Amino acid sequence: MGVNLKDLIPEDAKIIIENMRSLKGKVIAIDAYNALYQFLAAIRQPDGTPLMDSQGRITSHLSGLFYRTINLVEEGLKIVYVFDGKPPELKARELERRRALKEESARKYEAAVEAGDLEAARRYAMMASKLTDEMVKEAKKLLDALGVPYVQAPAEGEAQAAYLVKKGDAYASASQDYDSLLFGSPRLIRNLTISGKRKLPRREEYIEVKPEMIELNTLLSKLNLTLENLVDIGILVGTDYNPEGFEGIGVKKAYQLVKTYGSIEKIPKALLKSSVEVDVLEIKKYFLQPPVTDSYKIEWREPDEKLVFEILVNEHDFSEDRVKNALERFTKAYKENIKGVQTGLGKWFAKPS
DNA sequence: GGTCAGAT
DNA sequence: ATCTGACCA
């Protein structure tokens, strides 16, 4: 779920990316869990059935990962995925909340199928989606075959992605969630896709969605806040580490409280009612100093087309023609946009193939 | 979510 | 050239 800062971000703190070319050559650290989960939830038939191979294994996440990665590389972006590690103990309640929600959704899905309500079936199937360890493993395998790098975070992927951007190893983090901003990412890109039509939930309407970038510094100065203030606001409205937030506090009140008292610690306890015990300081510390690692290498390699074929076509029944065509585009894009412009000695010593 | 082909 | 909708696995 992540922290909901949507209504806190002023329109003029968003940079709408009208043309992907403006990101050409930039390293973008994509929150892998966030991307895979969205593919898994969205790539389904009208009745909610996901794409599956002949052995009944779900392939929606692989389809999304494959085609979107190719599109982004074709636009000249240097993609690196960041995978979650072990979730912190602080997240236990949120994980339990999600598990319960999925269980509930699975029940509602069955009921909707029973009632023949396709629309509801699809909605609940989406909500019931569970990204398994096996799916994550398969995704990493595909990335290895494509020569697209990924970083394994020790804990939260969003924190590691933010760290890559802070260090300058990536230009921006990409996720639908705002958490990487709280983890201090200097730039966050949301809606990072090429084809920008999205169906509004519960409506027969489509809206055009364009990628948008939020710069942390711009955001903080527009709101006249420090990063610590922003973290405090996040905690007041609720984060993965205190999903309940505080009673009656949304972004508006949270902003006022932080502005009035200077920090969450100084807000009178009487104003902060919560159904559960919340260790505010621990959460705050987690956002400001999350576990991250320096042991990663971000290098793009030429795709191993045979291996990609083996995985997608032979193992998972993707159409040979489609994969072939997509790989052709990808290899061409790799050569033009990544290989040709990679710095360092690598290219001089690259093995002839 | 993304592709592809047919319609406009 | 852009849009629509069926299909993808």
Side-chain angles (χ1 to χ4, degrees), chain A residues 13-300:
Chain A
K14 297 176 190 167
I15 300 164
I16 305 296
I17 298 172
E18 299 286 348
N19 194 331
M20 287 297 234
R21 307 271 166 68
S22 60
L23 296 176
K24 197 171 160 85
K26 300 274 195 286
V27 178
I28 309 293
I30 301 182
D31 178 359
Y33 179 89
N34 188 265
L36 291 175
Y37 182 80
Q38 299 217 350
F39 295 139
L40 177 64
I43 305 179
R44 285 165 190 271
Q45 293 178 311
D47 69 352
T49 312
L51 301 186
M52 287 182 293
D53 63 23
S54 58
Q55 296 190 48
R57 293 173 299 198
I58 294 176
T59 54
S60 296
H61 58 302
L62 295 178
S63 176
L65 181 67
F66 181 60
Y67 292 112
R68 180 181 288 175
T69 300
I70 288 171
N71 282 335
L72 294 175
V73 171
E74 216 166 22
E75 293 292 335
L77 277 65
K78 299 170 82 173
I79 298 303
V80 51
Y81 285 91
V82 182
F83 283 88
D84 281 327
K86 187 175 181 295
E89 191 52 43
L90 270 175
K91 206 175 183 174
R93 279 215 313 288
E94 167 65 8
L95 294 178
E96 170 53 25
R97 192 191 66 81
R98 289 182 196 174
R99 196 201 54 73
L101 180 72
K102 286 183 195 310
E103 206 170 273
E104 169 87 13
S105 300
R107 272 201 297 277
K108 288 181 173 166
Y109 166 74
E110 300 293 349
V113 171
E114 197 82 13
D117 186 345
L118 282 193
E119 232 178 279
R122 187 169 208 279
R123 275 204 315 278
Y124 291 124
M126 289 176 77
M127 290 170 73
S129 338
K130 273 206 284 263
L131 192 67
T132 65
D133 291 349
E134 187 60 31
M135 292 176 188
V136 170
K137 247 169 86 180
E138 286 284 287
K140 288 177 176 173
K141 215 170 102 182
L142 178 59
L143 291 174
D144 278 331
L146 286 169
V148 172
Y150 57 83
V151 171
Q152 178 60 56
E156 297 283 22
E158 299 253 17
Q160 185 68 35
Y163 184 63
L164 297 190
V165 185
K166 275 198 252 185
K167 278 196 13 180
D169 287 335
Y171 172 75
S173 54
S175 174
Q176 288 309 95
D177 291 343
Y178 296 94
D179 298 50
S180 75
L181 288 175
L182 296 198
F183 285 120
S185 174
R187 285 179 210 85
L188 166 67
I189 297 176
R190 302 185 65 247
N191 307 328
L192 186 66
T193 70
I194 310 293
S195 69
K197 283 262 172 78
R198 187 177 304 169
K199 190 177 178 300
L200 290 168
R202 308 273 232 149
R203 294 161 145 268
E204 269 317 301
E205 261 177 77
Y206 288 81
I207 50 159
E208 173 101 38
V209 184
K210 286 178 180 158
E212 63 186 33
M213 182 162 69
I214 299 161
E215 285 184 317
L216 182 59
N217 276 338
T218 308
L219 177 67
L220 295 177
S221 68
K222 296 252 185 224
L223 295 172
N224 194 22
L225 296 171
T226 63
L227 175 57
E228 194 187 323
N229 291 154
L230 188 67
V231 170
D232 286 350
I233 290 172
I235 296 171
L236 287 169
V237 303
T239 69
D240 283 350
Y241 316 121
N242 64 319
E244 312 77 10
F246 289 89
E247 239 168 83
I249 297 184
V251 278
K252 209 147 188 187
K253 266 193 191 156
Y255 181 81
Q256 284 169 351
L257 286 171
V258 168
K259 270 298 175 196
T260 306
Y261 296 98
S263 79
I264 194 168
E265 300 94 299
K266 294 184 194 146
I267 300 171
K269 295 282 178 291
L271 299 179
L272 302 182
K273 288 184 213 125
S274 172
S275 51
V276 293
E277 191 70 28
V278 177
D279 190 338
V280 166
L281 288 184
E282 193 184 4
I283 298 173
K284 194 161 166 172
K285 177 162 182 261
Y286 196 80
F287 277 114
L288 298 173
Q289 283 148 27
V292 289
T293 181
D294 280 303
S295 71
Y296 57 81
K297 219 180 334 174
I298 301 175
E299 281 173 357
W300 292 267

